[in-house]
Amino acid sequence: MNTIPAPTIEYGTLAPLLVVFGAAIIGVLVEAFAPRYLRKAIHVPLTLLSLFGAFALVLVQVLRGQVSTTASAMGAVAVDGPSLFIWGVILVLSFVCVLLINDEGHFVASAAAVPGSADEEEAEAQGGGGHTEVYPLVLFAVGGMLLFPAAHDLLMMFVALEVMSLPLYLLCGLARRRRLLSQEASMKYFLLGAFSSAFFLYGTAMIYGFAGTVSLPGINQALAGNSGLDPLLMIGFAMLGVGLLFKIGAAPFQAWKPDVYQGAPTPITALMASGTLVAAVGAVLRVFWVGLGNLDWNWRPIIWGVAALTMIVGSILAITQTDIKRMLAYSSVAHAGFLLVGVMATFGTAAQNAVSLKAILFYLAVYSITTVGAFAVVTLVRDPGGEAGHLSRWAGLGKRSPMLAGVFAFFLLAFAGIPLTSGFFGKYAVFAAALNSGTQPGDSMGGWMAGLVVVGVVASAIAAFFYVRVIVLMFFSEPAADGPAIAVPSMGTVAVIAVSLLVTVGVGLYPESLLGVANDAAHSLFIR
């Protein structure tokens, strides 16, 4: 009688994931059994401690040199250098976003109540303070973000995608102000997200039909032994690409970003604009570099077109926006295009590709933390009906609150890639990696890579226009008599802005330390 071998699970290697998911499950039990008045007092320390503990476990693995050389959990999860770097970034971003979430006034007291109804007014009068189930939902979303870029097979990646996305669909519809806009954003995100997930799953089925496996290394090996263009492979590749490019908001799949960013509670917008983007780009790297590495002669021209279109569309449409959150959404679209430039830069030896991977990891870290800081500032500029979203309401902000306007201006300059900011070195690293990739012998796209960098520089110049426009509006316009008020920030919000500013300034002046960490992580990407 044959016995079924027991699976091997590397609990130490997977500890950061297990801590986050364990805390999320405990949070569900708190919602089920704890009295309502005690729930927030339990959730906040539980959430923050779990995120801090998971980050500490990541540091322990890195400092002890315990980076795995093979995939964990029976080959399903790749905890290599890039995964640990991305995990660390996501956990830091999640920690500071929870500090924003903890502030009062962002979430509705009763999501089930019809907007403007007597039930909603009654819930507000009772001082519900918002839904405490926000905290376990955030932990589940963060757990999905951690698993998504580390998944070593397509089925695990699909599970991670759903675990990450489903809580975000709910969280987008819980804004306290502009309830109908928030619910509309949630519904749009759900429908488009389900559509992209269907594409991803259908693509997985097609790839399995071609390779006979959903393992990324197995798919790569099947490609190495294939001399023709199999229809199942081409269909599967196209479907996977649509699902992944939707998640990073690349054109022409960027339609969900502005509506969701505008309607969602701003702390959730900050989490999506930073953590979700980091996780999705990590998953793109895992699929295209590890799973489809032997097909790069086929997918690189397509990604070239997507990257160019994304940079141009994001930069041009941002100019036309009159809402600050929609403007930042299109800015995020443009930055997704800049990141795709780095994804394109793979042609050569493992050491040469590590230069490109280092640039992408560095860009992800500096852009995401600056993004959280910018949205933290947005939460403090208030009208009687909530946050002052329209750009005209930001006129003269530099005279009403010079310090807050100065901080926001610095974040905008970092987005634009102005020297002495972290954003400058991020763009420089990605563009330099792309140019270096284009000079490799035998690369038929060498000239095209230089052209893509030119498109990126032009898009950066266009983007600088709308960033500077906001700065001019804040400092060189007269404030309206009924202009917005500046909310007194909580200690959590102050901490978020301070950390974001410190990283943006510090990395802009001394980028070597973070570049060194990214470089160490980039050299341990494995495909076994």
Side-chain angles (χ1 to χ4, degrees):
M1 179 177 179
N2 295 327
T3 59
I4 299 175
T8 56
I9 307 296
E10 295 81 358
Y11 292 102
T13 304
L14 301 174
L17 272 174
L18 299 177
V19 167
V20 173
F21 280 124
I25 293 171
I26 294 173
V28 173
L29 296 177
V30 170
E31 284 295 313
F33 298 108
R36 185 175 182 85
Y37 68 91
L38 280 179
R39 291 175 188 172
K40 187 172 183 179
I42 299 173
H43 278 306
V44 174
L46 173 66
T47 304
L48 293 176
L49 286 174
S50 63
L51 295 173
F52 180 81
F55 180 75
L57 290 170
V58 171
L59 285 182
V60 167
Q61 293 192 50
V62 173
L63 295 177
R64 288 185 178 180
Q66 295 179 346
V67 179
S68 177
T69 57
T70 56
S72 304
M74 305 293 291
V77 182
V79 189
D80 51 11
S83 291
L84 290 173
F85 185 94
I86 289 173
W87 283 6
V89 172
I90 290 175
L91 290 168
V92 170
L93 296 172
S94 304
F95 188 93
V96 296
C97 286
V98 169
L99 295 179
L100 290 178
I101 290 170
N102 189 43
D103 284 353
E104 296 290 342
H106 292 300
F107 296 94
V108 66
S110 176
V114 177
S117 66
D119 291 337
E120 185 177 57
E121 294 178 1
E122 181 181 353
E124 291 284 352
Q126 291 176 355
H131 284 278
T132 52
E133 60 265 30
V134 165
Y135 296 97
L137 286 173
V138 166
L139 284 175
F140 277 117
V142 172
M145 293 176 194
L146 297 177
L147 186 57
F148 194 35
H152 210 45
D153 68 57
L154 294 178
L155 280 183
M156 181 61 72
M157 190 169 286
F158 174 74
V159 171
L161 173 63
E162 295 305 297
V163 172
M164 175 181 72
S165 300
L166 290 174
L168 293 176
Y169 300 152
L170 296 173
L171 291 168
C172 287
L174 298 181
R176 185 176 184 181
R177 308 292 183 181
R178 296 188 293 182
R179 296 279 292 113
L180 290 176
L181 184 64
S182 177
Q183 292 177 355
E184 178 186 347
S186 178
M187 181 58 68
K188 286 181 177 178
Y189 192 24
F190 168 71
L191 292 175
L192 292 174
F195 190 67
S196 82
S197 295
F199 268 96
F200 187 93
L201 192 58
Y202 189 70
T204 298
M206 295 295 103
I207 293 290
Y208 179 79
F210 162 75
T213 179
V214 292
S215 167
L216 295 180
I219 294 168
N220 201 34
Q221 291 174 7
L223 287 171
N226 181 62
S227 58
L229 296 180
D230 189 286
L232 290 177
L233 172 63
M234 292 297 100
I235 295 174
F237 156 66
M239 298 297 101
L240 284 179
V242 170
L244 291 171
L245 292 173
F246 170 85
K247 282 303 172 185
I248 68 172
F253 312 108
Q254 83 290 348
W256 67 273
K257 268 194 173 182
D259 294 336
V260 175
Y261 278 31
Q262 183 181 18
T266 302
I268 302 303
T269 303
L271 180 63
M272 290 191 297
S274 56
T276 301
L277 180 64
V278 172
V281 171
V284 168
L285 288 169
R286 189 71 63 182
V287 169
F288 283 91
W289 282 28
V290 177
L292 302 176
N294 284 319
L295 198 65
D296 60 351
W297 53 270
N298 203 317
W299 61 255
R300 288 178 79 211
I302 298 174
I303 296 299
W304 192 100
V306 172
L309 181 65
T310 301
M311 290 186 289
I312 295 299
V313 166
S315 299
I316 292 179
L317 292 185
I319 297 176
T320 66
Q321 302 307 308
T322 58
D323 184 272
I324 190 70
K325 290 170 72 174
R326 291 184 70 88
M327 187 202 76
L328 292 175
Y330 280 110
S331 169
S332 177
V333 171
H335 283 280
F338 298 139
L339 286 162
L340 286 177
V341 174
V343 175
M344 279 281 299
T346 167
F347 191 87
T349 65
Q352 291 167 337
N353 289 342
V355 175
S356 304
L357 182 54
K358 174 189 72 174
I360 296 170
L361 295 177
F362 178 82
Y363 198 125
L364 284 173
V366 297
Y367 168 73
S368 56
I369 193 66
T370 304
T371 298
V372 173
F375 280 108
V377 173
V378 170
T379 65
L380 298 178
V381 184
R382 306 278 183 86
D383 270 337
E387 294 165 359
H390 201 279
L391 280 176
S392 63
R393 305 296 291 163
W394 288 63
L397 184 66
K399 298 178 181 179
R400 287 180 177 271
S401 180
M403 182 175 294
L404 187 68
V407 170
F408 191 67
F410 193 82
F411 289 146
L412 293 178
L413 293 176
F415 289 145
I418 302 301
L420 299 182
T421 67
S422 59
F424 169 77
F425 288 103
K427 288 185 179 179
Y428 175 81
V430 169
F431 290 161
L435 290 175
N436 178 65
S437 172
T439 60
Q440 301 304 317
D443 188 357
S444 60
M445 293 196 65
W448 288 91
M449 293 301 294
L452 187 61
V453 171
V454 171
V455 173
V457 172
V458 172
S460 297
I462 296 173
F465 170 79
F466 63 80
Y467 293 132
V468 172
R469 180 186 66 172
V470 177
I471 296 173
V472 170
L473 184 68
M474 291 191 298
F475 288 97
F476 298 98
S477 298
E478 290 299 323
D482 60 343
I486 307 301
V488 178
S490 67
M491 291 301 296
T493 303
V494 170
V496 172
I497 295 175
V499 169
S500 301
L501 184 63
L502 181 63
V503 172
T504 304
V505 174
V507 175
L509 297 175
Y510 305 102
E512 293 85 1
S513 57
L514 185 57
L515 278 170
V517 176
N519 183 63
D520 292 340
H523 279 84
S524 62
L525 176 71
F526 60 88
I527 62 174
R528 290 182 293 280

mmCIF file of all heavy atoms in Angstrom, residues 21-58:
data_model
loop_
_atom_site.group_PDB
_atom_site.id
_atom_site.type_symbol
_atom_site.label_atom_id
_atom_site.label_comp_id
_atom_site.label_asym_id
_atom_site.label_seq_id
_atom_site.Cartn_x
_atom_site.Cartn_y
_atom_site.Cartn_z
ATOM 1 N N PHE A 21 -1.579 36.707 8.712
ATOM 2 C CA PHE A 21 -2.845 35.979 8.543
ATOM 3 C C PHE A 21 -3.400 35.521 9.891
ATOM 4 O O PHE A 21 -4.621 35.526 10.100
ATOM 5 C CB PHE A 21 -2.640 34.775 7.622
ATOM 6 C CG PHE A 21 -2.635 35.124 6.170
ATOM 7 C CD1 PHE A 21 -1.547 34.792 5.364
ATOM 8 C CD2 PHE A 21 -3.696 35.790 5.590
ATOM 9 C CE1 PHE A 21 -1.537 35.107 4.016
ATOM 10 C CE2 PHE A 21 -3.699 36.118 4.233
ATOM 11 C CZ PHE A 21 -2.610 35.775 3.446
ATOM 12 N N GLY A 22 -2.529 35.132 10.813
ATOM 13 C CA GLY A 22 -2.996 34.744 12.148
ATOM 14 C C GLY A 22 -3.666 35.890 12.867
ATOM 15 O O GLY A 22 -4.722 35.722 13.502
ATOM 16 N N ALA A 23 -3.067 37.086 12.786
ATOM 17 C CA ALA A 23 -3.672 38.259 13.416
ATOM 18 C C ALA A 23 -5.004 38.612 12.771
ATOM 19 O O ALA A 23 -5.948 39.050 13.453
ATOM 20 C CB ALA A 23 -2.710 39.444 13.333
ATOM 21 N N ALA A 24 -5.100 38.422 11.451
ATOM 22 C CA ALA A 24 -6.372 38.697 10.771
ATOM 23 C C ALA A 24 -7.472 37.765 11.272
ATOM 24 O O ALA A 24 -8.621 38.187 11.491
ATOM 25 C CB ALA A 24 -6.189 38.546 9.256
ATOM 26 N N ILE A 25 -7.136 36.490 11.465
ATOM 27 C CA ILE A 25 -8.126 35.532 11.965
ATOM 28 C C ILE A 25 -8.527 35.876 13.404
ATOM 29 O O ILE A 25 -9.712 35.818 13.760
ATOM 30 C CB ILE A 25 -7.557 34.105 11.881
ATOM 31 C CG1 ILE A 25 -7.379 33.707 10.415
ATOM 32 C CG2 ILE A 25 -8.476 33.111 12.588
ATOM 33 C CD1 ILE A 25 -6.636 32.417 10.216
ATOM 34 N N ILE A 26 -7.561 36.264 14.219
ATOM 35 C CA ILE A 26 -7.883 36.693 15.588
ATOM 36 C C ILE A 26 -8.788 37.912 15.552
ATOM 37 O O ILE A 26 -9.727 38.042 16.352
ATOM 38 C CB ILE A 26 -6.593 36.985 16.370
ATOM 39 C CG1 ILE A 26 -5.788 35.695 16.568
ATOM 40 C CG2 ILE A 26 -6.910 37.623 17.717
ATOM 41 C CD1 ILE A 26 -4.426 35.919 17.189
ATOM 42 N N GLY A 27 -8.531 38.817 14.601
ATOM 43 C CA GLY A 27 -9.388 39.996 14.472
ATOM 44 C C GLY A 27 -10.826 39.632 14.157
ATOM 45 O O GLY A 27 -11.769 40.262 14.660
ATOM 46 N N VAL A 28 -11.032 38.608 13.331
ATOM 47 C CA VAL A 28 -12.393 38.142 13.038
ATOM 48 C C VAL A 28 -13.055 37.617 14.315
ATOM 49 O O VAL A 28 -14.246 37.879 14.572
ATOM 50 C CB VAL A 28 -12.357 37.057 11.949
ATOM 51 C CG1 VAL A 28 -13.746 36.440 11.760
ATOM 52 C CG2 VAL A 28 -11.863 37.638 10.633
ATOM 53 N N LEU A 29 -12.304 36.880 15.126
ATOM 54 C CA LEU A 29 -12.848 36.363 16.386
ATOM 55 C C LEU A 29 -13.181 37.505 17.349
ATOM 56 O O LEU A 29 -14.171 37.434 18.085
ATOM 57 C CB LEU A 29 -11.842 35.406 17.033
ATOM 58 C CG LEU A 29 -11.548 34.123 16.233
ATOM 59 C CD1 LEU A 29 -10.478 33.301 16.947
ATOM 60 C CD2 LEU A 29 -12.813 33.307 16.032
ATOM 61 N N VAL A 30 -12.360 38.552 17.331
ATOM 62 C CA VAL A 30 -12.661 39.724 18.164
ATOM 63 C C VAL A 30 -13.988 40.340 17.745
ATOM 64 O O VAL A 30 -14.825 40.709 18.593
ATOM 65 C CB VAL A 30 -11.519 40.752 18.065
ATOM 66 C CG1 VAL A 30 -11.922 42.073 18.718
ATOM 67 C CG2 VAL A 30 -10.245 40.214 18.720
ATOM 68 N N GLU A 31 -14.209 40.454 16.431
ATOM 69 C CA GLU A 31 -15.476 40.997 15.948
ATOM 70 C C GLU A 31 -16.656 40.127 16.360
ATOM 71 O O GLU A 31 -17.756 40.624 16.615
ATOM 72 C CB GLU A 31 -15.436 41.121 14.416
ATOM 73 C CG GLU A 31 -14.627 42.279 13.903
ATOM 74 C CD GLU A 31 -15.220 43.608 14.299
ATOM 75 O OE1 GLU A 31 -16.438 43.798 14.137
ATOM 76 O OE2 GLU A 31 -14.463 44.462 14.799
ATOM 77 N N ALA A 32 -16.422 38.833 16.454
ATOM 78 C CA ALA A 32 -17.520 37.917 16.761
ATOM 79 C C ALA A 32 -17.859 37.884 18.250
ATOM 80 O O ALA A 32 -19.035 37.742 18.613
ATOM 81 C CB ALA A 32 -17.162 36.510 16.282
ATOM 82 N N PHE A 33 -16.857 38.025 19.110
ATOM 83 C CA PHE A 33 -17.086 37.747 20.531
ATOM 84 C C PHE A 33 -16.835 38.937 21.459
ATOM 85 O O PHE A 33 -17.362 38.940 22.585
ATOM 86 C CB PHE A 33 -16.198 36.576 20.979
ATOM 87 C CG PHE A 33 -16.493 35.297 20.262
ATOM 88 C CD1 PHE A 33 -15.626 34.792 19.316
ATOM 89 C CD2 PHE A 33 -17.665 34.587 20.521
ATOM 90 C CE1 PHE A 33 -15.904 33.607 18.646
ATOM 91 C CE2 PHE A 33 -17.953 33.408 19.847
ATOM 92 C CZ PHE A 33 -17.073 32.914 18.910
ATOM 93 N N ALA A 34 -16.052 39.924 21.064
ATOM 94 C CA ALA A 34 -15.746 41.040 21.968
ATOM 95 C C ALA A 34 -16.885 42.050 21.969
ATOM 96 O O ALA A 34 -17.545 42.262 20.933
ATOM 97 C CB ALA A 34 -14.447 41.712 21.548
ATOM 98 N N PRO A 35 -17.160 42.702 23.098
ATOM 99 C CA PRO A 35 -18.171 43.771 23.120
ATOM 100 C C PRO A 35 -17.766 44.906 22.174
ATOM 101 O O PRO A 35 -16.578 45.162 21.959
ATOM 102 C CB PRO A 35 -18.145 44.244 24.581
ATOM 103 C CG PRO A 35 -17.503 43.144 25.338
ATOM 104 C CD PRO A 35 -16.557 42.463 24.425
ATOM 105 N N ARG A 36 -18.753 45.569 21.631
ATOM 106 C CA ARG A 36 -18.486 46.592 20.626
ATOM 107 C C ARG A 36 -17.579 47.694 21.159
ATOM 108 O O ARG A 36 -16.688 48.162 20.456
ATOM 109 C CB ARG A 36 -19.805 47.203 20.135
ATOM 110 C CG ARG A 36 -19.624 48.187 18.993
ATOM 111 C CD ARG A 36 -20.953 48.687 18.461
ATOM 112 N NE ARG A 36 -20.783 49.590 17.347
ATOM 113 C CZ ARG A 36 -20.637 49.208 16.078
ATOM 114 N NH1 ARG A 36 -20.655 47.928 15.799
ATOM 115 N NH2 ARG A 36 -20.488 50.089 15.122
ATOM 116 N N TYR A 37 -17.760 48.069 22.419
ATOM 117 C CA TYR A 37 -16.979 49.183 22.950
ATOM 118 C C TYR A 37 -15.515 48.816 23.186
ATOM 119 O O TYR A 37 -14.656 49.688 23.364
ATOM 120 C CB TYR A 37 -17.607 49.691 24.254
ATOM 121 C CG TYR A 37 -17.518 48.732 25.414
ATOM 122 C CD1 TYR A 37 -16.438 48.759 26.297
ATOM 123 C CD2 TYR A 37 -18.521 47.791 25.643
ATOM 124 C CE1 TYR A 37 -16.352 47.865 27.361
ATOM 125 C CE2 TYR A 37 -18.448 46.898 26.693
ATOM 126 C CZ TYR A 37 -17.371 46.949 27.555
ATOM 127 O OH TYR A 37 -17.293 46.064 28.608
ATOM 128 N N LEU A 38 -15.200 47.521 23.175
ATOM 129 C CA LEU A 38 -13.822 47.086 23.396
ATOM 130 C C LEU A 38 -13.085 46.756 22.097
ATOM 131 O O LEU A 38 -11.861 46.574 22.109
ATOM 132 C CB LEU A 38 -13.796 45.842 24.294
ATOM 133 C CG LEU A 38 -13.943 46.055 25.800
ATOM 134 C CD1 LEU A 38 -13.918 44.709 26.506
ATOM 135 C CD2 LEU A 38 -12.830 46.952 26.326
ATOM 136 N N ARG A 39 -13.795 46.647 21.013
ATOM 137 C CA ARG A 39 -13.185 46.100 19.794
ATOM 138 C C ARG A 39 -12.023 46.942 19.286
ATOM 139 O O ARG A 39 -10.957 46.423 18.970
ATOM 140 C CB ARG A 39 -14.244 45.947 18.705
ATOM 141 C CG ARG A 39 -15.262 44.872 18.995
ATOM 142 C CD ARG A 39 -16.359 44.850 17.946
ATOM 143 N NE ARG A 39 -17.430 43.946 18.338
ATOM 144 C CZ ARG A 39 -18.580 43.831 17.699
ATOM 145 N NH1 ARG A 39 -18.812 44.583 16.626
ATOM 146 N NH2 ARG A 39 -19.509 42.987 18.118
ATOM 147 N N LYS A 40 -12.218 48.250 19.186
ATOM 148 C CA LYS A 40 -11.142 49.074 18.654
ATOM 149 C C LYS A 40 -9.922 49.045 19.557
ATOM 150 O O LYS A 40 -8.778 49.045 19.068
ATOM 151 C CB LYS A 40 -11.629 50.514 18.452
ATOM 152 C CG LYS A 40 -10.610 51.380 17.731
ATOM 153 C CD LYS A 40 -11.168 52.737 17.351
ATOM 154 C CE LYS A 40 -10.146 53.539 16.561
ATOM 155 N NZ LYS A 40 -10.664 54.859 16.146
ATOM 156 N N ALA A 41 -10.149 49.019 20.862
ATOM 157 C CA ALA A 41 -9.027 48.974 21.799
ATOM 158 C C ALA A 41 -8.217 47.694 21.646
ATOM 159 O O ALA A 41 -7.027 47.656 21.981
ATOM 160 C CB ALA A 41 -9.542 49.097 23.236
ATOM 161 N N ILE A 42 -8.843 46.641 21.123
ATOM 162 C CA ILE A 42 -8.120 45.381 20.878
ATOM 163 C C ILE A 42 -7.512 45.376 19.480
ATOM 164 O O ILE A 42 -6.365 44.967 19.287
ATOM 165 C CB ILE A 42 -9.071 44.182 21.045
ATOM 166 C CG1 ILE A 42 -9.629 44.136 22.475
ATOM 167 C CG2 ILE A 42 -8.349 42.879 20.718
ATOM 168 C CD1 ILE A 42 -10.694 43.079 22.668
ATOM 169 N N HIS A 43 -8.284 45.853 18.507
ATOM 170 C CA HIS A 43 -7.851 45.776 17.114
ATOM 171 C C HIS A 43 -6.580 46.586 16.835
ATOM 172 O O HIS A 43 -5.679 46.103 16.141
ATOM 173 C CB HIS A 43 -8.963 46.264 16.181
ATOM 174 C CG HIS A 43 -9.995 45.228 15.885
ATOM 175 N ND1 HIS A 43 -9.677 43.982 15.383
ATOM 176 C CD2 HIS A 43 -11.356 45.264 15.985
ATOM 177 C CE1 HIS A 43 -10.788 43.287 15.207
ATOM 178 N NE2 HIS A 43 -11.816 44.036 15.559
ATOM 179 N N VAL A 44 -6.540 47.800 17.325
ATOM 180 C CA VAL A 44 -5.425 48.685 16.961
ATOM 181 C C VAL A 44 -4.082 48.115 17.411
ATOM 182 O O VAL A 44 -3.160 47.967 16.589
ATOM 183 C CB VAL A 44 -5.661 50.107 17.504
ATOM 184 C CG1 VAL A 44 -4.426 50.981 17.242
ATOM 185 C CG2 VAL A 44 -6.895 50.732 16.858
ATOM 186 N N PRO A 45 -3.907 47.784 18.711
ATOM 187 C CA PRO A 45 -2.608 47.196 19.088
ATOM 188 C C PRO A 45 -2.342 45.845 18.417
ATOM 189 O O PRO A 45 -1.196 45.544 18.066
ATOM 190 C CB PRO A 45 -2.701 47.059 20.611
ATOM 191 C CG PRO A 45 -4.151 47.118 20.934
ATOM 192 C CD PRO A 45 -4.769 47.977 19.892
ATOM 193 N N LEU A 46 -3.395 45.031 18.229
ATOM 194 C CA LEU A 46 -3.203 43.744 17.561
ATOM 195 C C LEU A 46 -2.694 43.941 16.138
ATOM 196 O O LEU A 46 -1.737 43.261 15.702
ATOM 197 C CB LEU A 46 -4.531 42.981 17.529
ATOM 198 C CG LEU A 46 -4.549 41.675 16.713
ATOM 199 C CD1 LEU A 46 -3.640 40.637 17.339
ATOM 200 C CD2 LEU A 46 -5.983 41.141 16.594
ATOM 201 N N THR A 47 -3.292 44.870 15.412
ATOM 202 C CA THR A 47 -2.888 45.110 14.024
ATOM 203 C C THR A 47 -1.471 45.653 13.942
ATOM 204 O O THR A 47 -0.640 45.168 13.164
ATOM 205 C CB THR A 47 -3.867 46.082 13.346
ATOM 206 O OG1 THR A 47 -5.200 45.566 13.449
ATOM 207 C CG2 THR A 47 -3.518 46.287 11.892
ATOM 208 N N LEU A 48 -1.179 46.675 14.746
ATOM 209 C CA LEU A 48 0.149 47.291 14.692
ATOM 210 C C LEU A 48 1.238 46.325 15.152
ATOM 211 O O LEU A 48 2.311 46.244 14.539
ATOM 212 C CB LEU A 48 0.165 48.563 15.539
ATOM 213 C CG LEU A 48 -0.710 49.722 15.024
ATOM 214 C CD1 LEU A 48 -0.674 50.884 16.005
ATOM 215 C CD2 LEU A 48 -0.236 50.178 13.645
ATOM 216 N N LEU A 49 0.965 45.571 16.204
ATOM 217 C CA LEU A 49 1.969 44.632 16.701
ATOM 218 C C LEU A 49 2.219 43.501 15.704
ATOM 219 O O LEU A 49 3.361 43.043 15.545
ATOM 220 C CB LEU A 49 1.528 44.059 18.050
ATOM 221 C CG LEU A 49 1.643 45.005 19.257
ATOM 222 C CD1 LEU A 49 1.043 44.369 20.502
ATOM 223 C CD2 LEU A 49 3.107 45.377 19.506
ATOM 224 N N SER A 50 1.176 43.029 15.054
ATOM 225 C CA SER A 50 1.367 41.951 14.075
ATOM 226 C C SER A 50 2.191 42.431 12.886
ATOM 227 O O SER A 50 3.081 41.711 12.405
ATOM 228 C CB SER A 50 0.011 41.416 13.603
ATOM 229 O OG SER A 50 -0.725 42.417 12.929
ATOM 230 N N LEU A 51 1.922 43.644 12.420
ATOM 231 C CA LEU A 51 2.705 44.174 11.302
ATOM 232 C C LEU A 51 4.152 44.413 11.708
ATOM 233 O O LEU A 51 5.092 44.105 10.959
ATOM 234 C CB LEU A 51 2.071 45.467 10.790
ATOM 235 C CG LEU A 51 0.680 45.325 10.155
ATOM 236 C CD1 LEU A 51 0.093 46.678 9.839
ATOM 237 C CD2 LEU A 51 0.742 44.468 8.896
ATOM 238 N N PHE A 52 4.335 44.954 12.916
ATOM 239 C CA PHE A 52 5.695 45.176 13.406
ATOM 240 C C PHE A 52 6.425 43.845 13.610
ATOM 241 O O PHE A 52 7.597 43.700 13.262
ATOM 242 C CB PHE A 52 5.655 45.966 14.719
ATOM 243 C CG PHE A 52 7.019 46.228 15.296
ATOM 244 C CD1 PHE A 52 7.806 47.272 14.830
ATOM 245 C CD2 PHE A 52 7.526 45.429 16.317
ATOM 246 C CE1 PHE A 52 9.067 47.511 15.358
ATOM 247 C CE2 PHE A 52 8.786 45.663 16.859
ATOM 248 C CZ PHE A 52 9.558 46.701 16.367
ATOM 249 N N GLY A 53 5.718 42.869 14.165
ATOM 250 C CA GLY A 53 6.324 41.563 14.389
ATOM 251 C C GLY A 53 6.708 40.883 13.088
ATOM 252 O O GLY A 53 7.785 40.274 12.979
ATOM 253 N N ALA A 54 5.837 40.989 12.074
ATOM 254 C CA ALA A 54 6.153 40.392 10.773
ATOM 255 C C ALA A 54 7.371 41.063 10.156
ATOM 256 O O ALA A 54 8.236 40.397 9.570
ATOM 257 C CB ALA A 54 4.943 40.507 9.847
ATOM 258 N N PHE A 55 7.456 42.391 10.302
ATOM 259 C CA PHE A 55 8.619 43.105 9.778
ATOM 260 C C PHE A 55 9.890 42.680 10.507
ATOM 261 O O PHE A 55 10.947 42.492 9.882
ATOM 262 C CB PHE A 55 8.410 44.612 9.909
ATOM 263 C CG PHE A 55 9.554 45.440 9.393
ATOM 264 C CD1 PHE A 55 9.750 45.595 8.029
ATOM 265 C CD2 PHE A 55 10.438 46.050 10.256
ATOM 266 C CE1 PHE A 55 10.809 46.352 7.540
ATOM 267 C CE2 PHE A 55 11.494 46.808 9.790
ATOM 268 C CZ PHE A 55 11.678 46.967 8.425
ATOM 269 N N ALA A 56 9.794 42.513 11.812
ATOM 270 C CA ALA A 56 10.956 42.056 12.573
ATOM 271 C C ALA A 56 11.406 40.668 12.121
ATOM 272 O O ALA A 56 12.612 40.390 12.035
ATOM 273 C CB ALA A 56 10.627 42.053 14.070
ATOM 274 N N LEU A 57 10.457 39.796 11.816
ATOM 275 C CA LEU A 57 10.808 38.461 11.338
ATOM 276 C C LEU A 57 11.482 38.508 9.961
ATOM 277 O O LEU A 57 12.376 37.702 9.669
ATOM 278 C CB LEU A 57 9.556 37.585 11.277
ATOM 279 C CG LEU A 57 8.961 37.191 12.633
ATOM 280 C CD1 LEU A 57 7.601 36.528 12.454
ATOM 281 C CD2 LEU A 57 9.907 36.252 13.379
ATOM 282 N N VAL A 58 11.057 39.456 9.130
ATOM 283 C CA VAL A 58 11.735 39.640 7.847
ATOM 284 C C VAL A 58 13.176 40.076 8.067
ATOM 285 O O VAL A 58 14.115 39.556 7.444
ATOM 286 C CB VAL A 58 10.978 40.672 6.977
ATOM 287 C CG1 VAL A 58 11.800 41.036 5.743
ATOM 288 C CG2 VAL A 58 9.626 40.126 6.554
#
